[in-house]
Amino acid sequence: MHALLLATFFAAPTADALLHKYDDIMSPATFDLEAEMVAHRDDGSVRTYKMRVLKGDGDKVRVYFQEPASARGQEMLKVGDNSWIYMPSLKRAVRLANRDSFMGGDFNNADVLRVNYEADYAATLGDSGDPEKLLLELKSKSADAGYDRIRLFFGQKNEMPVRAEYYAASGKLLRSADFAEVKDFGGHQRPAHIVMRNELAVKRFSELNTTSMKLDIHVPASKFALDDLGR
Amino acid sequence: MIFVLLLAVVHADVTGYVSDRLQGTGVRTDTSLPTRDLPKWQNLLELNAQIKKTLGSDLHFAYADLSLFSQQGGGYITDDGAGPHSVPDHNVAALHPFAVPSELYISSTPDEHLNLLFGRKRIVWGSGLAWNPADVLNPAKDPTDPTLQRAGAWMARAESVFEDFTITALVAPQVTEQVSGLPTHFLAYPSWDAQDGHAHFLAAARLYALWNQTDINLVYYFTNNFNDDIQHRSRVALSFSRYFFTDYELHAEALLARGSTRLYPCDNLFACAAPFGEFKRDDGALYPRVLLGTRTLFSDESQLSIEYLYQADGFKRSEMATLLSLLKRAHDNQISIANMSGDSSAAPQKFSFTPLRRHYAFISFQRPKIADDWTASAFLLADLEDFSGLATLSLAWSATEWLTLTAVDFIPFPGKDRVSEGSLLPFDNRVLFEARVFY
């Protein structure tokens, strides 16, 4: 009996459990975080964006861009499969596709706005080739998913994501991400530093640093309405 | 006044830009329009500030988007029948300094589902990118650069916002008098300029719904002498926007109204009291204006947008020919134009567009990152009846996070007919350089 319990305790998690855990780590039910995205370009120069990200119950995310001055006032909203960007210069919001580049960096909109892999992907466990890592193979369930296929690597011990590889339907590797600097944000542990590499333009990469994060916040549902953008 | 403004700015969020726009125009004197006030070179300096100040909490705030414009121009040429010749530099009203409070309002959210707004705001409910035929509220935008026009309408608005739908009601009084772009009288003309005794306003009710991943707007407008001389006019507008096949955004907007306030040329001057008249104002016919468009993003992040505009009240070929004939007769200073917006309370446009005909196409293509911070764009505006129009090519360089340099070339093309809409454009080329510093 004890042996069975121990075996169960130390058994590798199921694919669905691991996927659920990834969503819990990277996208808790509600949060209010501040982040900085540093885009490194081909010529070696960088562009830095500061933003505030609000996530409400369900698949709702709103992003406020605070820096640089040329992007200040821009907002993005994601409700389910719908995405919009509010442009202060246009005084209006326009619809976005999930696969659009996020602020011209190496993340796409789905990477930042829609971390709900349980909804978008079917998961199976794979062989990571490294005893220190677990591998989750994700296959898109709908055309709205940001990628056709994702390989997610986790630490064997803490089950924290350490690396992701994002593939097109053709099988081509589009992007890769490395997750690092696991931090405690009020009892919630998650990687605070993500480096996303554009595998099609290898000199380019973007870093996303989470500087603060509050969980279990109450955000009125109307904050995730299209007509609230710009307020 | 400045002191009050400075006090207000303290503890407020302030952003904005300084823009300097230098343009050279190859003026044509062989068009039907006068060119006496059209400078060959022009410099426009814009100082812009966007100020947001919370009033007690985030739920209540005051917002201002203010621009001050200073302009210089020179090098005038005209043809008054004796051939093209230079005109000495002179005072041109359109080049005077002026201010534009594009937006200036107080917003209050006393309840999660209720927002109240008073002041000037640009509200765009239509889904069109280059043009919004259903917009009867705001100053028209520049289709070659829709980001340029941010000026809105003065209004009182109540909006009830829910997750999947919004109900809006607003009343917008017309500005009847203004000084240097700043309004002094609303709703009715003052006694010292009593052009009429009417109340000039627009009232609107709108329902927005997010349904089946589609943005849908249904708007009812009631106008009374709002920017025209029609009383008690109802209009209905519809718009939708949705992504299809993952990467293809499809949008449409339409405005339905009976009668048209468009000025039509009189084809028999002996029978008409004036060369132009609102001949279809009260004919009871339905004149829809419809825009259909699609937009897609390619794997290299290039973006293509194609839009088609239909105006049932647009000029037919014979009416266009009559118009051009009348303009030719009125050539000598009877009709005044400049390369400015017709609305002096709006921001100056790079290109002012008033669609006269029935069928148009707007095509834009943007290719970002041709090098790290370089973006190339092309835009085509075409009258699909005479195939005349305007093409623009632009190159923008975001040299730093706070500086963008842009070069634009405007190239009109006359089309297949000698009498075409494109032939009205009083220039054969315009080159523009802009430096914009964000702060």
Side-chain angles (χ1 to χ4, degrees):
Chain A
M1 182 65 181
H2 286 288
L4 183 61
L5 280 175
L6 281 173
T8 305
F9 186 77
F10 288 110
T14 65
D16 288 343
L18 204 52
L19 183 59
H20 183 75
K21 182 163 186 179
Y22 177 85
D23 280 352
D24 271 353
I25 292 169
M26 299 309 296
S27 185
T30 62
F31 63 76
D32 181 352
L33 71 74
E34 304 264 343
E36 181 182 85
M37 185 179 84
V38 183
H40 299 253
R41 290 92 50 74
D42 289 335
D43 65 358
S45 61
V46 298
R47 290 282 187 271
T48 302
Y49 297 87
K50 290 183 180 173
M51 67 198 89
R52 176 187 175 201
V53 183
L54 271 182
K55 182 173 184 289
D57 288 322
D59 193 8
K60 298 175 198 149
V61 179
R62 183 166 172 177
V63 182
Y64 303 79
F65 291 95
Q66 298 159 328
E67 299 289 342
S70 56
R72 199 176 297 151
Q74 289 184 27
E75 296 180 27
M76 293 176 96
L77 176 67
K78 175 90 179 157
V79 178
D81 290 328
N82 306 279
S83 300
W84 301 267
I85 184 167
Y86 175 82
M87 307 290 291
S89 55
L90 289 172
K91 303 293 186 191
R92 63 177 286 193
V94 292
R95 276 189 168 261
L96 286 174
N98 281 340
R99 300 185 196 212
D100 290 2
S101 162
F102 182 77
M103 296 306 284
D106 300 294
F107 293 89
N108 69 22
N109 291 326
D111 295 330
V112 180
L113 300 176
R114 185 180 170 85
V115 184
N116 186 356
Y117 284 179
E118 278 187 288
D120 288 346
Y121 298 94
T124 53
L125 286 170
D127 179 8
S128 71
D130 181 346
E132 297 297 313
K133 289 178 185 164
L134 298 169
L135 170 62
L136 205 53
E137 300 268 13
L138 305 184
K139 178 68 181 167
S140 66
K141 292 194 284 195
S142 80
D144 285 324
Y147 303 95
D148 181 68
R149 191 164 65 87
I150 301 175
R151 301 183 85 207
L152 268 180
F153 296 84
F154 296 80
Q156 175 77 46
K157 291 176 182 167
N158 60 6
E159 294 180 3
M160 279 284 164
V162 292
R163 182 174 167 77
E165 295 170 353
Y166 307 92
Y167 293 85
S170 63
K172 184 183 282 187
L173 177 61
L174 299 174
R175 293 178 170 91
S176 66
D178 290 301
F179 301 80
E181 296 180 23
V182 175
K183 283 187 181 172
D184 190 307
F185 295 99
H188 178 78
Q189 293 203 327
R190 65 173 251 156
H193 182 70
I194 303 171
V195 178
M196 180 71 85
R197 292 186 186 281
N198 185 329
E199 298 292 346
L200 304 177
V202 291
K203 287 182 184 172
R204 278 174 41 184
F205 65 98
S206 294
E207 299 173 83
L208 188 65
N209 298 303
T210 304
T211 51
S212 71
M213 188 174 194
K214 295 176 195 163
L215 280 82
D216 300 325
I217 55 160
H218 170 69
V219 186
S222 57
K223 279 284 169 198
F224 301 101
L226 180 61
D227 279 300
D228 201 68
L229 295 177
R231 282 182 195 157
Chain B
M1 173 74 178
I2 292 172
F3 180 70
V4 171
L5 191 63
L6 285 173
L7 274 180
V9 167
V10 173
H11 304 303
D13 293 329
V14 182
T15 187
Y17 59 85
V18 178
S19 165
D20 192 70
R21 197 194 301 170
L22 178 65
Q23 71 180 37
T25 301
V27 177
R28 281 178 55 204
T29 58
D30 58 345
T31 69
S32 303
L33 297 174
T35 57
R36 182 181 163 79
D37 291 342
L38 185 61
K40 285 184 181 174
W41 68 267
Q42 185 181 341
N43 190 73
L44 184 147
L45 178 68
E46 179 184 1
L47 308 176
N48 172 269
Q50 295 159 44
I51 306 161
K52 183 176 181 180
K53 181 167 175 57
T54 54
L55 305 171
S57 80
D58 288 348
L59 299 174
H60 316 286
F61 65 90
Y63 180 81
D65 183 340
L66 307 169
S67 288
L68 297 173
F69 293 95
S70 168
Q71 304 176 79
Q72 298 81 39
Y76 298 92
I77 187 169
T78 191
D79 182 354
D80 48 14
H85 61 88
S86 298
V87 177
D89 287 355
H90 54 283
N91 186 17
V92 176
L95 296 182
H96 290 179
F98 67 108
V100 176
S102 293
E103 293 192 332
L104 185 63
Y105 62 83
I106 290 176
S107 170
S108 176
T109 307
D111 178 84
E112 180 183 339
H113 298 295
L114 178 64
N115 177 259
L116 303 172
L117 182 143
F118 302 93
R120 189 181 199 190
K121 181 168 175 58
R122 187 174 184 90
I123 294 173
V124 182
W125 291 324
S127 51
L129 296 175
W131 195 248
N132 294 110
D135 185 0
V136 296
L137 191 59
N138 302 296
K141 62 186 178 187
D142 177 347
T144 69
D145 186 353
T147 66
L148 208 63
Q149 188 55 272
R150 301 187 310 279
W154 296 91
M155 67 182 69
R157 185 191 74 179
E159 195 161 73
S160 195
V161 181
F162 295 85
E163 274 187 77
D164 296 333
F165 70 95
T166 300
I167 299 167
T168 309
L170 70 80
V171 177
Q174 183 183 321
V175 174
T176 51
E177 299 287 348
Q178 57 189 343
V179 176
S180 298
L182 300 173
T184 57
H185 291 78
F186 293 92
L187 198 62
Y189 284 99
S191 57
W192 49 267
D193 184 26
Q195 297 183 24
D196 61 44
H198 302 304
H200 298 250
F201 68 92
L202 173 150
R206 168 241 188 183
L207 172 67
Y208 161 80
L210 172 60
W211 177 74
N212 195 20
Q213 298 177 42
T214 308
D215 295 319
I216 300 170
N217 280 288
L218 175 63
V219 187
Y220 169 74
Y221 292 111
F222 176 83
T223 60
N224 194 72
N225 297 91
F226 188 76
N227 295 326
D228 58 31
D229 62 354
I230 313 288
Q231 291 181 285
H232 306 152
R233 175 58 54 100
S234 292
R235 299 178 177 93
V236 174
L238 293 157
S239 83
F240 91 87
S241 172
R242 190 188 198 280
Y243 263 91
F244 289 91
F245 310 114
T246 305
D247 294 323
Y248 294 89
E249 190 263 359
L250 186 68
H251 57 265
E253 71 174 85
L255 180 71
L256 304 172
R258 291 200 180 277
S260 171
T261 56
R262 182 184 292 277
L263 285 172
Y264 288 87
C266 175
D267 56 5
N268 182 356
L269 285 176
F270 296 108
C272 300
F276 295 92
E278 294 174 343
F279 303 132
K280 298 182 181 177
R281 189 181 74 177
D282 300 313
D283 67 2
L286 201 61
Y287 292 104
R289 295 179 180 182
V290 180
L291 182 133
L292 295 171
T294 185
R295 177 166 55 95
T296 191
L297 193 80
F298 300 102
S299 58
D300 63 357
E301 299 181 25
S302 299
Q303 183 167 288
L304 176 67
S305 166
I306 300 173
E307 292 180 313
Y308 163 72
L309 171 66
Y310 170 71
Q311 304 187 116
D313 65 339
F315 293 163
K316 291 183 281 195
R317 182 182 166 82
S318 59
E319 291 167 332
M320 191 69 194
T322 306
L323 170 74
L324 290 168
S325 170
L326 287 173
L327 289 176
K328 191 69 180 168
R329 291 188 206 182
H331 185 217
D332 292 334
N333 298 323
Q334 293 184 38
I335 296 173
S336 174
I337 66 147
N339 58 339
M340 296 286 110
S341 165
D343 186 338
S344 59
S345 71
Q349 307 283 281
K350 293 174 182 171
F351 173 71
S352 292
F353 176 58
T354 305
L356 300 173
R357 304 297 294 274
R358 295 189 170 201
H359 305 277
Y360 290 91
F362 307 99
I363 301 172
S364 74
F365 179 77
Q366 189 177 63
R367 171 80 169 89
K369 298 178 186 169
I370 54 172
D372 260 330
D373 300 304
W374 294 79
T375 298
S377 307
F379 175 81
L380 181 77
L381 185 166
D383 176 332
L384 296 177
E385 289 168 271
D386 59 29
F387 296 102
S388 68
L390 178 83
T392 71
L393 301 170
S394 71
L395 192 60
W397 178 34
S398 296
T400 70
E401 289 164 333
W402 47 267
L403 172 64
T404 301
L405 304 172
T406 308
V408 189
D409 193 4
F410 296 79
I411 310 160
F413 49 96
K416 64 184 176 64
D417 294 342
R418 191 179 60 82
V419 283
S420 67
E421 189 173 9
S423 70
L424 278 174
L425 292 172
F427 62 91
D428 50 27
N429 199 287
R430 174 178 291 165
V431 179
L432 180 150
F433 299 97
E434 181 182 24
R436 182 169 289 202
V437 175
F438 297 91
Y439 66 88

